[in-house]
Amino acid sequence: MSFASCDPRAAWLMRLGDTTLVLGHRMTEWLSRAPTLEEDIALANLGLDLIGQTRLFYTRACELEGGARDETDLAYRRAEPDYRNPLLVEQPNGNFADTMARHLIFAGFATPLYQRLAASCDAETAGIATRSARETTYHLRHAGEWMIRLGDGTDESHERAQAALDDLWPYVPELFEADDLDRAVAASGFGVDPSTLRDDFDAAVDDVLARARLAKPAEPRGQRGGKAGRHSEHLGHILAELQYLQRAYPDARW
Amino acid sequence: MVSQAPVDPVADRARAQRARLQAARAAAARVTDPEVPVLGIDDLGILHDVAIDEAGTVTVTILPTYSGCPAMGAIALGIEAELARDGFPEARVKLTNTPAWSTERMSEAAREKLRACGISPPERASGKRALFSPSPDVVCPRCGSPDTERVSEFGSTACKAHWRCRACREPFDHFKCI
Ligand SMILES: [Zn+2]
């Protein structure tokens, strides 16, 4: 079985699905450990939205490449280099500020991405993106409100929120760098060139940071590689847990 | 009066087919949302299309709601069960993302049913609100007061947020607007 898809539309949707699956899995790591009961439920729901989006992206990708694989194959039967998510989403949860800063960056990127993808020439993809954009708008509000509360809170919470942003900012540039695949699907009217999303991202994030009295980190050269299958150490640990059941009991059903 | 209508097998078959389609649609419409049992899938705008082919096989098309909503599987099973009960054992359920479901698709009757069971219905104009603008007017479904506050953007299910009323002090669910 070949793991990379030769249909660029499918390969590109898989990348979106990899991104939401890995981040959705990170969210599930918070279950029973969030600062409050309400937040525990909130983080679980953020994860649920992301894993739901994953299933839709994967399923459409499999249809477009001809139906030889399904969502289960993509999630559970591929190795690290086959995953094409940007490095940001595999970064560890850290403290609560780290998770909220990561989510602010993700939602600030994904929301305009999905909003534009809602005009995809593929009606099914457009429909998925339309709904997903409304969900990540909700995520952006939630993460933004928390960043404002933390940044404009106590000295300690401000310090942690600023440190979280500083630590994660090196993962921002990769989100907006277009590669050949991005350019190909954008040119055909199927997908979106991520380099066109930066202004929307900056507008949303700048607004939050100003209200939060947090400083926007200087743009570093950045860490990249995930979109090409070169990952940080963290992804292997995520997949070891995520894929354990399928690896130990292949084709298990329940 | 007995009229001697000429026998027209084509028209007869078309009539029978229409009747079966109506019966299939009625069966599908009996299915409710397992997480909000007062609402039928028709009220919610989830039941998109019911079709019947020449061989009599029924296909029900539904629109998934929130991306991660675990109720979709139960709804699909429910449709198959209701159709089987009414004589359509071969019915198929298809999910489509085109058109995209939104809370705008909920009927006015659905909103009324939600209020009656203590859930405040979604406001209109999904997603039009500015990111950090004040929360929209959410009215307490118990006492009708607009003096309410959000406890959490997220609640007991994927489709609900958690609110409370400052007038009667009761907590309540608000159906998220997407
Ligand atoms: Zn009240």
Side-chain angles (χ1 to χ4, degrees):
Chain A
M1 189 192 291
S2 155
F3 289 105
S5 184
C6 51
D7 184 316
R9 299 170 303 170
W12 195 75
L13 283 184
M14 277 180 211
R15 199 143 80 173
L16 298 190
D18 294 345
T19 304
T20 48
L21 178 60
V22 170
L23 187 58
H25 186 80
R26 279 291 187 219
M27 286 306 179
T28 66
E29 294 172 356
W30 273 104
L31 286 186
S32 80
R33 290 161 205 209
T36 64
L37 179 59
E38 285 79 8
E39 198 49 34
D40 209 284
I41 292 168
L43 294 171
N45 273 283
L46 296 177
L48 190 62
D49 283 347
L50 294 170
I51 290 168
Q53 291 168 15
T54 305
R55 298 188 60 186
L56 297 168
F57 290 136
Y58 279 174
T59 298
R60 186 62 187 144
C62 291
E63 286 165 4
L64 288 172
E65 76 173 3
R69 295 190 281 183
D70 65 14
E71 51 177 336
T72 304
D73 294 316
L74 298 187
Y76 297 127
R77 301 192 180 107
R78 290 181 306 150
E80 288 155 79
D82 305 316
Y83 271 77
R84 299 301 165 94
N85 56 279
L87 296 176
L88 172 78
V89 294
E90 64 199 46
Q91 298 312 304
N93 286 344
N95 62 40
F96 185 66
D98 293 318
T99 292
M100 283 300 123
R102 187 184 62 199
H103 216 75
L104 174 70
I105 296 169
F106 165 76
F109 158 73
T111 302
L113 169 66
Y114 294 161
Q115 283 167 347
R116 305 235 184 139
L117 190 57
S120 170
C121 63
D122 177 49
E124 192 69 6
T125 297
I128 295 167
T130 302
R131 258 179 24 250
S132 300
R134 297 192 196 118
E135 290 163 0
T136 54
T137 301
Y138 224 88
H139 293 205
L140 187 55
R141 186 177 296 140
H142 189 72
E145 286 180 351
W146 267 114
M147 287 307 282
I148 293 167
R149 215 172 306 168
L150 295 172
D152 195 22
T154 64
D155 288 347
E156 166 107 23
S157 71
H158 177 86
E159 213 169 282
R160 289 195 183 208
Q162 187 64 57
L165 281 174
D166 294 346
D167 287 348
L168 289 166
W169 216 255
Y171 300 102
V172 169
E174 185 184 22
L175 299 172
F176 300 98
E177 283 169 1
D179 60 12
D180 289 345
L181 181 59
D182 289 317
R183 281 186 287 267
V185 293
S188 70
F190 177 86
V192 177
D193 178 340
S195 65
T196 62
L197 305 171
R198 187 63 203 247
D199 289 347
D200 287 342
F201 172 84
D202 284 329
V205 169
D206 290 355
D207 179 31
V208 170
L209 298 188
R211 292 166 194 254
R213 299 188 307 109
L214 291 165
K216 192 177 192 177
E219 195 82 15
R221 221 199 125 257
Q223 301 285 338
R224 54 181 61 70
K227 284 173 72 175
R230 295 188 305 277
H231 291 279
S232 61
E233 175 192 348
H234 306 299
L235 183 65
H237 292 274
I238 292 172
L239 295 187
E241 186 175 283
L242 179 74
Q243 300 181 332
Y244 165 76
L245 200 87
Q246 271 298 327
R247 301 292 188 194
Y249 304 96
D251 304 320
R253 297 199 159 271
W254 64 87
Chain B
M1 190 184 83
V2 178
S3 71
Q4 283 292 5
V7 178
D8 180 348
V10 176
D12 274 356
R13 218 179 36 238
R15 214 170 6 250
Q17 196 78 327
R18 264 200 307 281
R20 298 211 6 111
L21 182 60
Q22 243 161 28
R25 186 162 232 293
R30 281 202 302 268
V31 176
T32 57
D33 183 331
E35 286 175 346
V36 195
V38 294
L39 291 186
I41 57 174
D42 212 5
D43 295 325
L44 279 160
I46 293 174
L47 181 59
H48 183 53
D49 187 47
V50 181
I52 190 163
D53 68 11
E54 276 301 306
T57 308
V58 173
T59 303
V60 178
T61 308
I62 57 175
L63 305 179
T65 56
Y66 302 85
S67 294
C69 180
M72 292 323 288
I75 288 173
L77 281 176
I79 293 171
E80 285 173 11
E82 287 299 329
L83 283 160
R85 188 200 307 233
D86 284 12
F88 303 95
E90 309 280 295
R92 291 193 324 126
V93 179
K94 218 175 77 186
L95 271 73
T96 180
N97 295 292
T98 332
W101 181 84
S102 112
T103 42
E104 302 273 330
R105 301 186 86 87
M106 283 174 62
S107 65
E108 207 38 61
R111 286 161 200 273
E112 209 33 68
K113 285 182 195 169
L114 278 177
R115 264 189 288 271
C117 80
I119 300 171
S120 113
E123 60 275 18
R124 294 280 184 189
S126 61
K128 296 289 188 320
R129 164 157 88 99
L131 202 56
F132 298 115
S133 65
S135 293
D137 299 330
V138 171
V139 173
C140 172
R142 299 194 182 275
C143 74
S145 168
D147 187 15
T148 59
E149 64 184 344
R150 198 186 71 205
V151 178
S152 174
E153 287 267 22
F154 299 89
S156 54
T157 67
C159 56
K160 296 184 206 117
H162 187 196
W163 283 63
R164 90 180 128 222
C165 175
R166 278 194 284 246
C168 74
R169 316 301 296 169
E170 284 291 325
F172 62 89
D173 278 335
H174 172 57
F175 207 99
K176 274 159 57 175
C177 174
I178 74 159

